[in-house]
Amino acid sequence: MLPTTPSSPAEPAVPHAGGVSEDEFRIALSRFTAGVVLVTAHDPEEGPRGEDVGMTATAFMSVSLDPPLVMVSVRNGSRMDELLERQPHWAVSVLSQGQRHIAGRFAMKGRISDRLLFEDMSVVRGEHTDAPLAVGALATLECRTEQRVTAGDHTLVVARVLAAAAPAAEGGPLTYFRGRYRTLG
């Protein structure tokens, strides 16, 4: 048996079968600027009146114009993944630069309940989804899941856009770059 030595921080990370380590991948992609959205859904099975669920996402994109499709990536086994597996209706609020606190709130790991996260937040209910939409968002979309594709440790949720609005919100978009929320300008 060969002797083992503990890893030191100076040692290079062990690559995946494809040749790139998680650290290398994470660092490289942190240089890609992404918009920040709040993905929400209403869970009618949670409690007597149901419960709103939300998550911050940067892996969100337009997929098709005809029909209008969008996609969000959710971590496998997360609360949002489990909810979107049984609840096809959900919504997206494209966050403005003044909504950094909302992004941070819904990006927290290990939270027990989303109920407190929505408690003091200004929202309106989506007409098609009953999902909460953030007041002051640059744009809102109400969606219905069309397809789910497992991709590594995430699931890509492709959805048809049922309604889209671009309220007269002030300011520019909230972005994510090098591991931090940023604003354009």
Side-chain angles (χ1 to χ4, degrees):
M1 177 178 243
L2 296 173
T4 59
T5 57
S7 298
S8 72
E11 288 182 24
V14 178
H16 287 280
V20 64
S21 73
E22 285 183 23
D23 288 341
E24 290 168 329
F25 183 69
R26 186 176 288 120
I27 289 167
L29 289 184
S30 76
R31 290 349 188 238
F32 179 73
T33 302
V36 182
V37 301
L38 176 64
V39 178
T40 57
H42 183 73
D43 185 354
E45 297 176 14
E46 188 67 38
R49 285 184 239 121
E51 183 176 44
D52 294 329
V53 177
M55 73 166 223
T56 301
T58 56
F60 172 78
M61 64 183 281
S62 166
V63 174
S64 169
L65 186 59
D66 185 17
L69 299 174
V70 294
M71 186 209 68
V72 67
S73 177
V74 297
R75 180 178 295 284
N76 294 341
S78 67
R79 173 108 190 259
M80 187 60 76
D81 179 42
E82 291 170 1
L83 177 56
L84 294 185
E85 192 168 24
R86 61 183 164 77
Q87 165 59 287
H89 295 99
W90 47 281
V92 174
S93 298
V94 178
L95 299 180
S96 70
Q97 62 191 19
Q99 294 178 309
R100 180 184 301 214
H101 63 288
I102 293 172
R105 165 187 304 198
F106 285 93
M108 291 188 306
K109 293 183 194 293
R111 60 186 192 254
I112 296 169
S113 169
D114 285 25
R115 187 169 283 123
L116 293 175
L117 300 178
F118 283 102
E119 197 169 82
D120 65 344
M121 190 175 142
S122 296
V123 298
V124 296
R125 291 262 163 221
E127 182 180 331
H128 301 276
T129 61
D130 197 34
L133 302 167
V135 171
L138 294 178
T140 59
L141 303 137
E142 291 188 77
C143 307
R144 183 186 67 233
T145 299
E146 299 259 318
Q147 185 177 11
R148 293 172 51 89
V149 179
T150 301
D153 60 1
H154 279 66
T155 296
L156 308 177
V157 183
V158 178
R160 181 177 298 258
V161 176
L162 305 173
E170 293 296 317
L174 182 61
T175 62
Y176 195 72
F177 179 71
R178 288 192 172 186
R180 294 182 37 207
Y181 296 117
R182 314 270 182 157
T183 58
L184 293 180

